[in-house]
Amino acid sequence: MEKEISMKTLSILSTKLSAWGLHLIGRGGSMPGSIGCKVDKNILTKLKFNGPVILVTGTNGKTSTANMITDLFQNAGYNVISNRKGDNLKAGIVTTLLTNCKLNGEIKANAVVLECDELNVRHILPFIPVTDFVVNNFFRDQLDRAREMEQLIDSIEKVLPDYKGRLILNANDPNVVRLNLVAKNATCSYFGMDENKYSVTTTKEASEGKFCPKCGARLEYSYYQYSHIGKFHCSKCDFKTPEMDVCLKNIDLDQETFTSDKVSFKSPYEGMYSMYNCAVVLNIAQNYGISVDCVKSVFSHAPQPAGRNETFKSSDQTCILNLVKNPTGANEVMKVIEKDDSNKTIVIVLNDREQDGTDVSWIYDTFFEKIMKDSTKEIICTGLRANDMALRIYYGGYKGPLSVVDTLDIAIKAALATKRTTYAIATYTALLPTRNAIKKEMGL
């Protein structure tokens, strides 16, 4: 027993000291958590939590969702810790927890909100007392790392039979709803969106929700919101879109507004997919008795994440930066750009480093054709796979000026020199360099 206690204390202490050392030299990261796990591989099971523990995962939207849930609890008077900076792998989560606990393992907060990478759920969920497990969506993403989506979902399903908390699931995603089939000891709460003027009865977008996870028969859709997100039912068994505890209605993507329980809200971010993140916040608020005023405050003060329709302005230039990393997220970005009918220049920065995903075939599942309008006066491709991107645009039938520029800074300079509105689209490792190039060129 004494050895176990000392190992726990040593793990916490070594994590705190290494994090402090990194802070002194102006660095952060997940290395302290790696050290803590090496000292005591079972450290997560030895921590003491006081209050809700919210775990958020999914392909798209988990950072924004987790951060808004953190703000929600803070607005409601909770003392909250979270991995707000997005260190969502096991080592990053351990770093967050151990740097915010006492030497006896007690977490110094009465609410914990953790964003978790999908492949790391199996390393976290079984080992801490998660009260609410939020799953936004599942899409194909970084096939070289996550492999096929079926394998990713399977890794999560394997740790759900013993889970006794609450599952908060996207009712419009059959790949998320299927988790209720294996989580027999959990309670389920569902969020989603009603049919609206943007819903369609057919779709050509990348669509993974084609077959019933229960019996294998074809799924049929009453309507799609985007990709495979929509209202579905199995053609042979009883698997279908469940009744929603939170259902968004009266969607207006021009004003970015919606209603829930006849109360009007304004989304802090553009796009229908972002409204699903808001639905999660409303679901959490409902479950914990947090007021509508708190929710509205969260939405009105939500910071714009870097690269999520991030707008830069100077006296004579406007540049809008967006992150893309998979077909579904990229298609939603295309829709946002498509709505702008003003003359524009577009810069696409495509990298294939490990964090981006070394398989860039996803660009052929993205409808770049949506931005190949007369108002798009020029497209500039740069990044490590600029030639692949230019070929994709060429095959898409774009008739305007199309160029490949080897240097990111020169590409941004050329785009901004046109004095048109510039849209910059960047993959993960290209996002910060692109952001820095924009600010430098615009003198911001």
Side-chain angles (χ1 to χ4, degrees):
M1 184 64 180
E2 290 182 3
K3 180 180 179 182
E4 181 177 320
I5 293 173
S6 64
M7 290 298 289
K8 176 178 73 174
T9 303
L10 185 59
S11 175
I12 295 169
L13 189 59
S14 62
T15 301
K16 288 178 177 289
L17 287 174
S18 55
W20 178 72
L22 286 173
H23 178 72
L24 286 180
I25 60 174
R27 292 180 57 191
S30 59
M31 186 185 74
S34 297
I35 294 171
C37 288
K38 285 184 178 179
V39 173
D40 187 343
K41 65 180 182 180
N42 298 315
I43 186 60
L44 285 178
T45 65
K46 299 174 182 178
L47 302 179
K48 181 182 178 182
F49 294 81
N50 304 295
V53 179
I54 318 291
L55 194 67
V56 181
T57 198
T59 309
N60 293 329
K62 51 185 175 287
T63 300
S64 297
T65 302
N67 288 346
M68 286 196 291
I69 294 171
T70 299
D71 293 339
L72 178 73
F73 277 107
Q74 287 177 337
N75 284 2
Y78 287 77
N79 177 20
V80 191
I81 65 166
S82 70
N83 54 342
R84 188 182 282 274
K85 293 182 180 179
D87 291 329
N88 63 16
L89 305 184
K90 179 182 178 181
I93 289 172
V94 172
T95 300
T96 296
L97 295 175
L98 267 57
T99 54
N100 288 281
C101 75
K102 300 176 183 177
L103 290 179
N104 67 359
E106 183 178 355
I107 300 296
K108 295 185 287 187
N110 59 0
V112 175
V113 181
L114 299 169
E115 173 193 342
C116 186
D117 170 78
E118 305 96 288
L119 282 175
N120 278 257
V121 168
R122 66 187 188 272
H123 299 308
I124 303 298
L125 185 71
F127 305 106
I128 63 175
V130 175
T131 56
D132 300 82
F133 180 35
V134 176
V135 186
N136 274 351
N137 47 60
F138 288 128
F139 299 106
R140 285 187 298 125
D141 184 38
Q142 297 185 10
L143 294 181
D144 51 293
R145 182 181 80 90
R147 295 176 289 177
E148 285 298 331
M149 192 176 65
E150 188 67 28
Q151 294 171 293
L152 184 149
I153 297 173
D154 182 64
S155 74
I156 296 175
E157 287 181 330
K158 285 179 178 176
V159 299
L160 286 179
D162 294 329
Y163 176 61
K164 295 181 174 63
R166 179 163 42 213
L167 282 174
I168 298 179
L169 305 177
N170 185 341
N172 291 140
D173 187 340
N175 296 315
V176 172
V177 173
R178 65 182 278 186
L179 298 181
N180 70 16
L181 301 176
V182 295
K184 300 299 186 183
N185 295 307
T187 57
C188 292
S189 186
Y190 298 98
F191 64 91
M193 189 179 293
D194 201 4
E195 186 174 13
N196 54 74
K197 61 183 178 181
Y198 308 99
S199 304
V200 295
T201 54
T202 60
T203 181
K204 293 182 180 179
E205 293 181 11
S207 185
E208 289 85 17
K210 293 180 179 179
F211 300 101
C212 176
K214 190 172 181 179
C215 74
R218 190 88 182 182
L219 285 180
E220 297 176 348
Y221 279 76
S222 303
Y223 56 84
Y224 296 88
Q225 308 292 18
Y226 65 94
S227 189
H228 64 273
I229 306 297
K231 185 175 182 180
F232 55 87
H233 64 274
C234 178
S235 57
K236 288 192 176 178
C237 76
D238 61 352
F239 184 77
K240 63 179 181 178
T241 299
E243 291 294 320
M244 301 176 202
D245 297 275
V246 170
C247 181
L248 306 190
K249 300 182 178 183
N250 302 311
I251 309 299
D252 187 331
L253 295 183
D254 293 321
Q255 301 298 319
E256 302 303 336
T257 57
F258 59 88
T259 64
S260 177
D261 283 338
K262 300 181 180 180
V263 178
S264 296
F265 297 90
K266 182 174 176 60
S267 171
Y269 310 120
E270 283 200 51
M272 183 183 289
Y273 62 100
S274 294
M275 291 184 179
Y276 277 91
N277 304 340
C278 296
V280 175
V281 177
L282 284 162
N283 191 297
I284 293 283
Q286 184 182 92
N287 292 335
Y288 285 91
I290 299 175
S291 71
V292 168
D293 288 342
C294 273
V295 174
K296 288 190 172 184
S297 178
V298 168
F299 293 164
S300 64
H301 295 94
Q304 196 71 41
R308 273 73 166 187
N309 217 47
E310 186 177 13
T311 302
F312 303 87
K313 285 183 179 290
S314 64
S315 58
D316 60 348
Q317 293 169 319
T318 298
C319 185
I320 298 128
L321 175 63
N322 272 294
L323 168 71
V324 294
K325 58 178 184 173
N326 56 49
T328 299
N331 281 331
E332 293 307 299
V333 170
M334 298 305 116
K335 291 175 186 177
V336 171
I337 299 174
E338 184 185 27
K339 287 197 303 181
D340 183 358
D341 288 325
S342 65
N343 291 343
K344 63 183 75 66
T345 300
I346 296 175
V347 181
I348 307 175
V349 194
L350 179 64
N351 281 354
D352 65 346
R353 294 190 171 95
E354 184 177 356
Q355 294 131 301
D356 304 293
T358 56
D359 181 351
V360 298
S361 63
W362 61 269
I363 64 177
Y364 286 90
D365 290 325
T366 298
F367 283 83
F368 287 101
E369 287 78 6
K370 287 182 177 293
I371 60 175
M372 298 180 194
K373 308 193 316 182
D374 290 342
S375 58
T376 298
K377 299 302 181 182
E378 183 177 0
I379 297 179
I380 301 171
C381 300
T382 188
L384 299 176
R385 300 293 290 270
N387 288 314
D388 297 79
M389 191 66 245
L391 190 63
R392 168 66 183 91
I393 298 299
Y394 173 78
Y395 282 149
Y398 179 63
K399 303 301 183 185
L402 172 64
S403 59
V404 172
V405 177
D406 291 336
T407 306
L408 175 60
D409 285 354
I410 295 174
I412 294 298
K413 183 174 183 177
L416 292 172
T418 66
K419 302 302 180 182
R420 307 182 196 106
T421 297
T422 294
Y423 283 90
I425 303 166
T427 54
Y428 190 80
T429 64
L431 184 65
L432 184 58
T434 303
R435 192 173 189 270
N436 291 339
I438 293 167
K439 294 183 73 173
K440 177 183 176 183
E441 185 62 30
M442 295 180 71
L444 301 176

